[in-house]
Amino acid sequence: MTEEIRKTLRDSAAMRWTALLLLALAMFCAYIFVDILSPIKDLMLTQRGWDSTAFGTMQGSETFLNVFVFFLIFAGIILDKMGVRFTAVLSGAVMLFGALIKYYAVSESFIGSSMEAWFTAHLNYIPGFDELGVSPFYEGMPASAKVAAIGFMIFGCGTEMGGITVSRGIVKWFKGREMALAMGSEMALARLGVATCMIFSPFFAKLGGSIDVSRSVAFGVVLLCIALIMIIVYFFMDKKLDSQTHEEEEKDDPFKISDLGKILSSQGFWLVSLLCVLYYSAIFPFQKYAVNMLQCNLTFTAVPEDSFWASSSVTIVQYVIMIIVAAGAFASNFQKDKVRRVLFTVASVVALVVYCYMGYMRQSAESIFAVFPLLAVGITPILGNYVDHKGKAATMLVLGSLLLIFCHLTFAFILPQFKGSELGGVVVAYVTILVLGASFSLVPAALWPSVPKLVEPKIIGSAYALIFWIQNIGLWLFPLLIGKVLDKTNPNVTDPTQLNYTWPLVMLAMLGVAAFFIGLYLKVIDKRKGIGLEEPNIK
């Protein structure tokens, strides 16, 4: 009887996985909003006058405050001082506030308003930032893009705050239990947000036969409202847990300036940080342009409006099939019975083939790119388990870099050769996108678990904060650079589906080349100094 009384919510598998589900779904909604305009870049040009430079500047603004105002560091301090519950609710509220500003910026209400006139005449020159070449605005930037950038900056602060808070929350609920599985599951669900965005953003923008880009953003805003509700429910669950354990919220050592010297003096830390920024800069900014890149390099035939493939119901069906692919691939990793494991795998593969067929029949670039995270969801647990038991983290990072180079060069030089071949181009696109998604799985499986081997345990939190800050520099810079390169290399091109993406893709491939050589050097340093990156995590 006494043992029953001492049991807490954390001791119940159902309750702790419910807590994880609440946090994971909240981040799932956040990741959908991150790329909510990516699948409709062409519509932003025709409907709001955003050229590639304006689009890239707005997309890069998400991380501007985190990088140049150091909000990422402040978010860690808030988390340390105020705890998981307060910071989780704050992050949800900040994300929603920023999203509402972005919605207003792209809505019909903004067009012709006094707000539009003011932003057209102002924020064309920001002292200091313009001189450094890092201003989030520029003269001639559409007013709607400026206001959307402001909203996206605020949203980005909430997203980063939410990311580190979710990690702390998982540690609190799963410490001593299935923590690795919990973190992997949260990450897998978040990845599905990318596919969800690619499928539903164009769906809402074109709903009813009339184009309204604000509907896509409104869809994201509604999801963020749901996310905030989930966070509030988690707030009360977490509070109940603390009342049962009579413990104060666990706090990591706060970020200290004195820690910088220890971290920055580590050669291994710098190599891993550079790998991180190169890797993520070649993936996340690309996602924001990928759909438009496919529109420019594939040949699509208009689907008859009265056919099933042009109906709204096909979007729902394809999304359900996508969930089957992801769920089957993910679940197969945790089946002890061989027969059940094979059945889950076969079901997932069959569903993937059906999904790809539907994407081809829909003649939709966004539907094709939505396949990007599906293979990653299935193999992330496999790769993580391999690193845990077999090691070879540095080798896997080198392999990931090679895959990055292969994929971006394929998009740049091989895919355009299939323009005019409907089936051939789509097959090349599908295979390359799936391989790129697989390479992305190597980062969480190999890179993040390597950090604790490079720095002292008491400064791991500070090290991660610095890595995230360095990573955000790339996530701010490269969406902007891609947009500028597109405009420079496509003068006088007014059709958003006729852009030449060769040079932006070559630039991203060069990031993979740099990551490859840094990975090789990291292997040399690891062997020379015995850091243990090639050794298994579980011994």
Side-chain angles (χ1 to χ4, degrees):
M1 189 69 178
T2 304
E3 291 180 359
E4 288 292 323
I5 295 174
R6 289 179 178 174
K7 282 189 175 180
T8 66
L9 292 177
R10 188 164 49 199
D11 296 314
S12 166
M15 288 296 100
R16 64 176 177 267
W17 282 96
T18 298
L20 173 72
L21 185 63
L22 291 170
L23 293 174
L25 286 175
M27 293 310 297
F28 168 80
C29 295
Y31 281 120
I32 290 176
F33 194 85
V34 166
D35 282 315
I36 200 67
L37 293 182
S38 300
I40 56 173
K41 176 183 179 292
D42 58 324
L43 298 181
M44 297 311 298
L45 174 60
T46 58
Q47 301 297 309
R48 294 296 182 269
W50 294 13
D51 60 13
S52 295
T53 299
F55 183 82
T57 303
M58 192 286 302
Q59 292 284 44
S61 67
E62 180 198 355
T63 59
F64 182 82
L65 294 178
N66 289 321
V67 172
F68 296 105
V69 188
F70 303 102
F71 186 83
L72 189 57
I73 305 301
F74 295 145
I77 295 172
I78 293 171
L79 179 58
D80 286 331
K81 298 296 183 183
M82 305 303 296
V84 172
R85 290 192 298 274
F86 174 86
T87 312
V89 174
L90 179 62
S91 68
V94 171
M95 284 192 288
L96 181 58
F97 179 63
L100 288 169
I101 295 176
K102 187 172 182 177
Y103 168 72
Y104 173 64
V106 301
S107 69
E108 296 289 338
S109 301
F110 184 79
I111 299 176
S113 66
S114 58
M115 187 76 76
E116 181 182 33
W118 191 92
F119 275 92
T120 299
H122 296 82
L123 295 184
N124 295 313
Y125 171 71
I126 311 296
F129 289 104
D130 270 272
E131 282 75 10
L132 293 173
V134 297
S135 176
F137 314 109
Y138 61 88
E139 188 171 1
M141 185 177 182
S144 59
K146 291 179 184 177
V147 178
I150 292 172
F152 211 26
M153 288 178 202
I154 297 171
F155 168 82
C157 292
T159 304
E160 291 296 335
M161 187 188 298
I164 59 176
T165 303
V166 166
S167 297
R168 275 280 297 275
I170 293 174
V171 170
K172 181 173 183 177
W173 281 80
F174 286 86
K175 190 173 184 178
R177 295 174 175 84
E178 319 96 324
M179 190 187 302
L181 179 59
M183 288 189 171
S185 301
E186 187 272 330
M187 192 175 299
L189 184 57
R191 292 275 170 82
L192 287 179
V194 178
T196 303
C197 170
M198 296 298 161
I199 289 178
F200 283 106
S201 178
F203 170 77
F204 284 108
K206 302 173 184 176
L207 190 64
S210 64
I211 296 176
D212 185 352
V213 294
S214 68
R215 283 197 297 258
S216 297
V217 183
F219 165 64
V221 170
V222 170
L223 290 178
L224 289 175
C225 290
I226 296 172
L228 182 56
I229 293 171
M230 291 177 177
I231 291 172
I232 292 172
V233 174
Y234 171 80
F235 178 96
F236 288 106
M237 284 188 67
D238 195 81
K239 188 173 183 180
K240 178 68 174 177
L241 176 63
D242 280 355
S243 69
Q244 290 176 333
T245 59
H246 303 291
E247 298 174 356
E248 294 184 4
E249 289 194 273
E250 297 178 28
K251 292 181 170 55
D252 294 332
D253 289 338
F255 184 87
K256 299 176 183 177
I257 299 299
S258 59
D259 293 336
L260 286 173
K262 299 177 183 177
I263 297 171
L264 299 179
S265 62
S266 169
Q267 186 180 30
F269 166 81
W270 278 110
L271 293 174
V272 168
S273 297
L274 288 173
L275 275 171
C276 176
V277 70
L278 292 168
Y279 222 98
Y280 276 89
S281 295
I283 296 287
F284 283 122
F286 171 72
Q287 285 179 191
K288 301 180 185 301
Y289 291 88
V291 171
N292 186 233
M293 183 275 295
L294 293 176
Q295 292 170 338
C296 296
N297 287 307
L298 295 178
T299 300
F300 293 110
T301 303
V303 179
E305 293 185 4
D306 58 347
S307 71
F308 168 72
W309 302 110
S311 67
S312 57
S313 58
V314 70
T315 300
I316 308 300
V317 173
Q318 192 178 20
Y319 187 67
V320 171
I321 293 174
M322 184 193 77
I323 296 299
I324 294 173
V325 175
F330 187 76
S332 66
N333 291 287
F334 305 100
Q335 304 302 314
K336 295 181 180 179
D337 181 74
K338 284 188 176 181
V339 175
R340 293 180 65 183
R341 184 164 60 248
V342 171
L343 287 175
F344 272 105
T345 303
V346 170
S348 180
V349 171
V350 171
L352 178 61
V353 173
V354 173
Y355 176 90
C356 292
Y357 172 74
M358 294 184 71
Y360 168 71
M361 292 301 295
R362 291 186 67 188
Q363 294 291 287
S364 163
E366 55 269 17
S367 181
I368 291 172
F369 185 71
V371 79
F372 171 70
L374 297 187
L375 187 59
V377 170
I379 69 173
T380 297
I382 297 175
L383 295 173
N385 185 63
Y386 185 87
V387 173
D388 278 340
H389 293 88
K390 302 293 184 179
K392 305 297 180 182
T395 300
M396 290 174 69
L397 291 173
V398 172
L399 175 61
S401 302
L402 288 173
L403 292 177
L404 270 181
I405 299 168
F406 166 79
C407 291
H408 285 310
L409 291 181
T410 298
F411 285 134
F413 298 107
I414 298 178
L415 185 61
Q417 302 304 313
F418 285 85
K419 192 161 186 176
S421 172
E422 290 186 17
L423 181 59
V426 170
V427 170
V428 172
Y430 269 134
V431 172
T432 310
I433 292 167
L434 284 169
V435 172
L436 185 65
S439 75
F440 191 33
S441 300
L442 294 169
V443 177
L447 192 149
W448 296 119
S450 299
V451 177
K453 298 178 180 180
L454 299 169
V455 298
E456 298 177 25
K458 68 176 183 177
I459 57 174
I460 286 177
S462 301
Y464 275 123
L466 275 175
I467 290 176
F468 275 115
W469 181 75
I470 294 170
Q471 170 191 314
N472 271 242
I473 295 175
L475 300 186
W476 158 77
L477 178 62
F478 281 94
L480 187 153
L481 284 180
I482 293 172
K484 287 183 178 295
V485 172
L486 272 178
D487 281 338
K488 289 291 185 182
T489 56
N490 292 273
N492 304 319
V493 177
T494 57
D495 186 344
T497 64
Q498 298 300 317
L499 297 171
N500 186 331
Y501 268 84
T502 301
W503 289 110
L505 290 167
V506 169
M507 178 178 67
L508 296 177
M510 290 303 99
L511 295 178
V513 172
F516 171 73
F517 285 109
I518 291 174
L520 288 178
Y521 186 58
L522 183 63
K523 282 174 62 70
V524 172
I525 295 299
D526 175 61
K527 187 174 182 180
R528 184 186 302 166
K529 297 187 176 181
I531 298 174
L533 298 180
E534 294 286 81
E535 297 178 5
N537 294 326
I538 299 175
K539 300 179 180 180

